[in-house]
Each structure stands twice: as structure tokens, then as C-alpha cells.
Amino acid sequence: PASKGPKFNIGTFNAISPEGLKKFPSNKYQTLAMQTEESENEEIHAVLLRSHKLSSADVPDTVRAIARCGSGTNNIDVASMTERGIPVFNTPGANANAVKELAVCGILLASRGIVEGISHVHKIVAEEGLDEFAKIKKRVETD
């Protein structure tokens, strides 16, 4: 169904996931990369950012809210935004699955000696001048 009324314009800094931006229905919201000619010609109502160091000058007077995609707000001048009446939000835990996956990966790498094995093969290849997979495989099997 078509939306009645104006669209809300969301300005983005950094590369915000297109999958995440799809959560905003296109009949109600328009996302625009900030500091572009297109965003300069639109009234921006909200800002989404990741690690961009956001200064007060980056935020148009029309902005009603700022969302930091991630935990913490140390890259945003929260005091200045508060003075301007602009609330600042963050999304702690949004990357929890990625952190969990990397933690499990690190545990597996450490427990199985994978990094050491890779280093060992590189050393053999460099020292013995092996350049064919079959020769490398045969040589490593003897270790």
C-alpha cells in the first residue's frame, strides 16, 4: 500500500549494510549517503553511522535523531547533540553473532595448531624451493 505523507530522509555515513537499510520501507523512508550532492539537496531527518567521527557541523538542523550502528558513542559529540535537542542512540550487541563466530574461530585455530602448521609449510616451501602441490604434500607428510 502507498504511504500517505512525506518520506523521512535518513542520512548515512560509512558503509551501512544494504540488508539493514532494507528494513526501512521504501514507501516511508529514503536513505542518502551524507556529504553528497544528493543529500545536500534534501532535508535530512535522521543520521545512521558506524565509525565516522561525527562533528556538530556534519549534522543539519533538520536532524531529529542519530543512531550509532554498534556499541558506544565515543565518535559522536553527545553533549553538543543534547544541547541541540537531538537524541543519540547506539545498538550494543548488534554484532554479537559475528563476535561469537570469531571467538570460536580463534579457539579452533589455537587449539589445533593451524597457524603454526601454515607457517611450517611456508617455511618448507621457502627453504626447499618446492613449487608443486604434490611435492609439498609428500614432503609435509613426512613431518
Side-chain angles (χ1 to χ4, degrees):
S3 174
K4 294 182 181 180
K7 286 186 177 184
F8 288 98
N9 294 320
I10 301 171
T12 62
F13 288 97
N14 308 114
I16 306 296
S17 167
E19 290 301 312
L21 294 176
K22 286 181 187 174
K23 301 287 184 185
F24 294 106
S26 62
N27 62 334
K28 295 181 181 179
Y29 300 93
Q30 174 177 307
T31 57
L32 305 157
M34 292 296 287
Q35 298 177 328
T36 63
E37 188 175 329
E38 184 181 23
S39 68
E40 299 292 330
N41 295 325
E42 294 285 348
E43 189 173 286
I44 303 298
H45 302 108
V47 172
L48 292 177
L49 71 150
R50 293 178 51 90
S51 58
H52 176 78
K53 182 76 171 156
L54 190 69
S55 71
S56 189
D58 292 332
V59 182
D61 291 334
T62 56
V63 169
R64 301 175 189 166
I66 297 170
R68 159 76 163 86
C69 303
S71 60
T73 56
N74 59 325
N75 56 324
I76 303 169
D77 185 353
V78 177
S80 173
M81 297 306 127
T82 301
E83 286 177 19
R84 293 175 59 183
I86 302 171
V88 176
F89 305 91
N90 67 350
T91 57
N95 65 342
N97 279 339
V99 171
K100 173 180 59 180
E101 290 165 358
L102 286 174
V104 170
C105 177
I107 290 167
L108 292 172
L109 286 171
S111 69
R112 300 293 297 173
I114 294 169
V115 174
E116 292 82 359
I118 292 169
S119 296
H120 178 69
V121 171
H122 281 282
K123 182 180 174 188
I124 290 171
V125 169
E127 287 178 357
E128 299 180 20
L130 301 175
D131 60 352
E132 294 178 27
F133 178 75
K135 289 179 184 176
I136 295 168
K137 179 182 172 194
K138 186 171 180 147
R139 169 59 180 85
V140 171
E141 286 175 351
T142 63
D143 289 344

